[in-house]
Amino acid sequence: MSKIRAAKVIVTCPGRNFVTLKIETEDGLYGVGDATLNGRELAVASYLNDHVVPCLIGRDAHRIEDIWQYLYRGAYWRRGPVTMSAIAAVDMALWDIKGKVAGLPLYQLLGGASRDGVMVYCHANGVTIEETIEAARGYMAQGYKAVRLQAGVPGLKSTYGVPKDKKPYEPADADIPTENLWSTEKYMRSLPALFEAGRDKLGWDVHLLHDAHHRLTPIEAGRLGKDLEPFRMFWLEDAVPAENQAAFRLIRQHTTTPLAVGEIFNSIWDCKQLIEEQLIDYIRATVVHAGGITHLRRIAALADLYHVRTGCHGATDLSPITMGAALHFNLSIPNFGIQEHMHHAAVTETVFPHAYSYKDGYMHPGEAPGHGVDIDEKEAAKYPYKRAYLPVNRLEDGTLYNW
Ligand code: EZ4
Ligand code: CO
C-alpha cells in the first residue's frame, strides 16, 4: 500500500504547450505523466484538476489496473481524447511510481527487453524534393535506418509536414487556426517523384515512410498506394480518416503498400476492426492519447494476433514523458515495429530531463527506475501557457477539408 497524497497539474510552454500530471505518495515518492492534447490542452487540465485529482487522493498508487478501470468505467462517459489523455497521464505516473518502488526501469516490469534497441524514424522535410533528400541524407549520416519524406506540393503555398522559413516544423503555429489551401490532385501528382528521387539518391537500404495526414478518400489512397508500390515503402500513414474502419477494405483491395494509422485513436475500439480484418500493418496509437501503458498494451496484444505491429506516434506535441514511456513499452512488447522520433526543442529538454538516448538509429529508455523522465518545475514555471492551434485546410473552392 502506497497512498496517493497529492496530485497536481503543471501546464508549461517551453517552445510549445505541455500538460503534465505529478502524483505524490505518502511515502515521499512521485511519478509524472503526460496529458498533452495539442490545441485542446486546457480541456485535459480541467478534466484532471476538476474531475480526476479529487478521486485519486487516498487511493493505493500500486493498484494501477483498478485505478484505470475506476477512471474509465467509473466516469460512465467512456472514451474520447480528453478523457483518455487524462487517464493516460494517471497511468504513466503510477507506472513511474511502481518502477521507483521496485528500483527497476519500467521495461523490466513489463516483461523485460524483447530487443536491444528501439528503431526510430525521423522527419526529412523540405519545400522541394532536393531539400527533402538533402535532409534525409543528413539524418542517414547520423545513423537513422528509417526516414519519413515530406515535401512541398507545387501550386500549394504550404503543406502539412513542410516547415516555413527553414525553422523546425511545429504545426500548432497560431492562436487562431491558420487556413491552408489543399488540392488532392496536385498532391497525388507530386508524390511519386519524391519517392523516385528517394530511392534513386538514398538507395534501397533505408526505410522510407510518408504521412498523407488523413487527406485522401479510400479510392484515392488505393491509387496512391499503387503508384508508390515500386518504391517499397515501409508505410503510407493516415491515408484516409479512419472513423469508418470498414473503408480501409477498399484501400487494401488496390495496393500492397503497407498501411499505418492511429495517431488520433484513443481506444482499442477505434482499431478493433482494422486489426481483426488485417486492414492495416502498423497501429500508431500511443501512450498519451490511448489511455496509457495499461491500455496500449491491450491494443498491442490484440494487434499481435493479426500480424499488426506498432508504430507509436512521436511528434513534438507528445512530451518527453510520453517518449520515455513509449520507449519502455516498445522495448518490451513482441510485436514492435518502429517508433516516430521528431526532435524536441532544446528548451523543451531543459524542462523534461530524461534517461532515454539515441544511438545509430535506435533509442533506448535507459536504466533509471520508473520511466526515467522528470519535470523540472522551476524551469517549467518560466514558460506560461500560450494558446496555439493546428491549421485547417480548405479546398480550392473554399470547402473546409481535412488537415
Ligand atoms: O500532425 O502530432 O505523424 N505525425 C503527425 C503529427 C501530427 C501532430 C498533431 O498534433 O501526423 O505531426
Ligand atoms: Co501522422
Side-chain angles (χ1 to χ4, degrees):
M1 174 87 172
S2 186
K3 264 196 186 174
I4 296 175
R5 189 184 68 76
K8 71 170 156 190
V9 178
I10 303 157
V11 181
T12 177
C13 186
R16 67 163 347 284
N17 291 314
F18 294 108
V19 179
T20 304
L21 177 70
K22 181 168 181 175
I23 297 181
E24 293 172 29
T25 65
E26 281 186 345
D27 27 349
L29 287 173
Y30 69 88
V32 294
D34 179 23
T36 309
L37 184 61
N38 204 2
R40 295 293 183 272
E41 294 87 357
L42 299 185
V44 190
S46 158
Y47 193 97
L48 283 167
N49 270 323
D50 298 328
H51 304 295
V52 171
V53 169
C55 307
L56 287 178
I57 310 303
R59 261 166 224 291
D60 182 359
H62 280 304
R63 296 183 62 176
I64 298 177
E65 181 68 41
D66 182 68
I67 289 177
W68 196 95
Q69 299 293 340
Y70 178 78
L71 295 174
Y72 181 82
R73 291 171 201 263
Y76 185 65
W77 311 105
R78 298 183 186 196
R79 304 161 60 187
V82 175
T83 299
M84 297 304 276
S85 301
I87 295 177
V90 174
D91 190 75
M92 274 181 251
L94 295 181
W95 277 109
D96 195 23
I97 290 170
K98 200 182 279 296
K100 288 176 179 175
V101 170
L104 290 171
L106 176 55
Y107 74 84
Q108 295 291 12
L109 305 186
L110 303 178
S114 287
R115 54 195 55 76
D116 302 327
V118 172
M119 181 170 69
V120 290
Y121 72 91
C122 59
H123 293 191
N125 309 320
V127 173
T128 62
I129 291 178
E130 291 67 34
E131 271 177 38
T132 303
I133 300 296
E134 223 18 69
R137 278 211 181 96
Y139 284 119
M140 287 167 69
Q142 293 170 41
Y144 280 90
K145 314 271 180 270
V147 183
R148 192 186 88 163
L149 304 182
Q150 309 283 143
V153 177
L156 299 183
K157 228 169 75 197
S158 61
T159 313
Y160 164 76
V162 180
K164 292 171 199 134
D165 321 320
K166 309 224 170 197
K167 286 203 200 109
Y169 181 62
E170 180 52 70
D173 61 357
D175 65 352
I176 292 292
T178 308
E179 304 228 347
N180 291 347
L181 192 68
W182 176 249
S183 157
T184 298
E185 295 77 13
K186 291 187 171 93
Y187 167 71
M188 297 252 300
R189 275 203 305 273
S190 72
L191 205 58
L194 173 62
F195 280 83
E196 196 175 354
R199 283 304 176 208
D200 212 34
K201 306 264 162 48
L202 305 172
W204 293 85
D205 287 336
V206 62
H207 296 305
L208 297 181
L209 300 81
H210 180 75
D211 191 349
H213 221 260
H214 305 114
R215 290 166 305 194
L216 303 177
T217 65
I219 198 68
E220 288 164 350
R223 158 65 59 83
L224 186 67
K226 199 184 263 181
D227 288 349
L228 294 171
E229 273 170 25
F231 312 116
R232 297 287 191 271
M233 294 170 73
F234 187 89
W235 79 33
L236 174 62
E237 173 181 339
D238 289 346
V240 303
E243 288 102 324
N244 180 356
Q245 297 182 44
F248 273 66
R249 290 177 186 153
L250 188 60
I251 315 176
R252 273 294 206 220
Q253 283 163 18
H254 293 284
T255 182
T256 56
T257 291
L259 302 175
V261 71
E263 66 184 39
I264 70 166
F265 291 176
N266 53 70
S267 100
I268 198 165
W269 302 100
D270 293 332
C271 46
K272 181 175 179 291
Q273 184 179 10
L274 289 171
I275 291 172
E276 287 176 347
E277 291 189 25
Q278 295 179 227
L279 301 177
I280 56 172
D281 301 283
Y282 297 92
I283 177 70
R284 282 183 47 70
T286 193
V287 186
V288 57
H289 300 134
I293 288 158
T294 297
H295 193 63
L296 198 60
R297 285 175 94 201
R298 216 156 266 147
I299 293 176
L302 176 69
D304 191 29
L305 303 181
Y306 298 95
H307 307 279
V308 176
R309 291 186 287 165
T310 63
C312 289
H313 188 202
T316 40
D317 49 296
L318 289 82
S319 97
I321 299 173
T322 286
M323 182 50 110
L327 290 172
H328 287 275
F329 165 81
N330 291 329
L331 199 67
S332 70
I333 56 166
N335 55 325
F336 165 73
I338 199 165
Q339 165 72 50
E340 184 176 19
H341 180 210
M342 191 177 169
H343 295 77
H344 285 114
V347 58
T348 300
E349 307 254 336
T350 65
V351 172
F352 297 97
H354 55 75
Y356 62 74
S357 58
Y358 166 87
K359 196 179 161 214
D360 254 355
Y362 296 91
M363 288 180 79
H364 194 282
E367 301 297 335
H371 56 51
V373 188
D374 206 346
I375 182 163
D376 182 329
E377 292 186 63
K378 262 209 191 120
E379 280 296 310
K382 292 185 191 164
Y383 309 101
Y385 167 79
K386 254 171 69 188
R387 193 177 67 210
Y389 288 129
L390 293 168
V392 297
N393 266 342
R394 287 189 188 275
L395 302 180
E396 285 163 299
D397 71 354
T399 306
L400 193 94
Y401 199 58
N402 309 312
W403 174 71

